[in-house]
């Protein structure tokens, strides 16, 4: 059972029951950051900008108690690894739909001082390209950060797109910048993005840069009407 009290909606509805398990602040974001694979506590703290260690510890305990998170503890090993159970992985399609809804209705530049992580932006970009089944031929794009040891590769082939947290050699395009500069660059609407960003280096042939900019022109999708009030 969960280790913290939960609010009960007190009516029979599967959405209500789901929110009783996942409606707590940060819970879905913890799941989001475990969908891509096992993480350590420090990995999650890095991705969940603004969370406190105490809150993260509590959310992980609750998710473990609910059968959504597995905890890998080995005697004598300092690191503890967290991963999703099959039930937790089953939430991935729902998270994808929430991300796409956010891109349609809430897309905007990061607020001043707002933490950013390239994995979140690149996951959303990969999702958009994959849903569009965009086929620009076989491509590999590497994204690196100057201020952190972040390395990612987005690959596209036959309209299918993947993201991995490593840098492949000899990519068609390489982006290098701070986390913040990369976030500003990738969330700038096309065609303003084509003008470049002073803090982001885009390396590749003229043809590959043109293909890259054309492929990501749909990201982020312009908001449809005013953003809902929160």
């Amino acid at each position: 059972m969960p280790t913290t009290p939960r609010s009960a909606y007190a009516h029979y509805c599967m959405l209500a029951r789901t929110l009783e398990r996942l409606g707590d602040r940060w819970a879905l974001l913890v799941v989001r950051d475990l969908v891509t694979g096992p993480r350590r506590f420090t990995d999650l703290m890095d991705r969940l900008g603004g969370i406190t260690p105490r809150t993260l510890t509590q959310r992980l305990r609750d998710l473990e108690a609910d059968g959504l998170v597995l905890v890998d503890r080995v005697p004598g090993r300092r690191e503890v690894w967290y991963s999703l159970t099959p039930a937790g992985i089953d939430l991935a399609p729902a998270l994808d739909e929430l991300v796409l809804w956010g891109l349609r209705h809430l897309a905007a530049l990061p607020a001043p001082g707002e933490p950013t992580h390239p994995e979140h932006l690149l996951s959303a970009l990969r999702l958009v390209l994959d849903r569009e089944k965009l086929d620009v031929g076989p491509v590999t794009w590497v994204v690196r950060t100057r201020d952190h040891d972040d390395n990612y590769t987005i690959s596209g082939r036959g309209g299918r797109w993947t993201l991995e947290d490593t840098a492949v050699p000899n990519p068609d395009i390489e982006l290098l910048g701070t986390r913040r500069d990369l976030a500003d660059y990738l969330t700038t609407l096309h065609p303003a993005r084509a003008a470049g960003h002073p803090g982001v280096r885009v390396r590749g042939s003229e043809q590959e840069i043109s293909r890259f900019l054309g492929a990501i022109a749909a990201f982020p999708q312009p908001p449809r009407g005013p953003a809902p009030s929160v």
Side-chain angles (χ1 to χ4, degrees):
M1 294 296 291
T3 57
T4 56
R6 301 292 181 84
S7 297
Y9 289 93
H11 69 267
Y12 185 75
C13 168
M14 291 303 101
L15 179 57
R17 290 195 175 183
T18 299
L19 290 175
E20 288 171 4
R21 297 294 184 270
L22 293 165
D24 287 336
R25 184 174 173 84
W26 298 106
L28 274 178
L29 299 184
V30 173
V31 174
R32 172 202 64 189
D33 288 335
L34 291 174
V35 163
T36 52
R39 302 287 181 203
R40 298 165 299 181
F41 191 90
T42 51
D43 298 328
L44 293 170
M45 285 294 300
D46 180 48
R47 286 162 173 76
L48 293 161
I51 198 171
T52 65
R54 180 178 180 179
T55 298
L56 178 55
T57 297
Q58 193 62 67
R59 291 296 169 268
L60 287 167
R61 288 174 179 170
D62 290 342
L63 291 167
E64 181 185 11
D66 285 331
L68 300 173
V69 164
L70 290 172
V71 183
D72 180 14
R73 298 183 181 90
V74 175
R77 188 184 68 187
R78 182 178 180 181
E79 294 179 336
V80 177
W81 288 82
Y82 300 89
S83 61
L84 294 179
T85 66
I89 294 171
D90 213 21
L91 288 164
L95 295 180
D96 285 348
E97 294 305 322
L98 287 172
V99 169
L100 291 171
W101 185 91
L103 287 171
R104 288 194 297 269
H105 299 286
L106 302 172
L109 288 171
E114 187 173 25
T116 63
H117 195 286
E119 185 169 291
H120 303 150
L121 281 167
L122 297 175
S123 293
L125 173 59
R126 182 214 64 81
L127 178 59
V128 168
L129 298 175
D130 201 60
R131 284 297 178 92
E132 294 290 330
K133 295 183 171 57
L134 188 64
D135 188 359
V136 294
V139 295
T140 54
W141 306 330
V142 163
V143 178
R144 305 177 188 270
T145 58
R146 300 180 192 273
D147 52 344
H148 293 78
D149 188 23
D150 301 319
N151 297 280
Y152 292 92
T153 299
I154 292 184
S155 302
R157 183 179 295 271
R160 299 301 304 272
W161 294 83
T162 60
L163 173 66
E164 52 188 320
D165 57 353
T166 186
V168 301
N170 304 313
D172 298 303
I173 289 291
E174 182 182 79
L175 272 66
L176 176 67
T178 65
R179 285 183 174 181
R180 178 64 193 211
D181 285 343
L182 286 166
D184 288 343
Y185 174 71
L186 290 172
T187 55
T188 299
L189 292 178
H190 183 80
R193 189 187 289 120
H197 186 287
V200 176
R201 185 188 72 193
V202 182
R203 177 181 291 175
S205 69
E206 184 176 341
Q207 178 182 357
E208 290 299 337
I209 291 175
S210 178
R211 183 161 61 152
F212 166 72
L213 292 172
I216 67 171
F219 179 80
Q221 299 166 3
R224 299 179 182 177
S229 60
V230 293

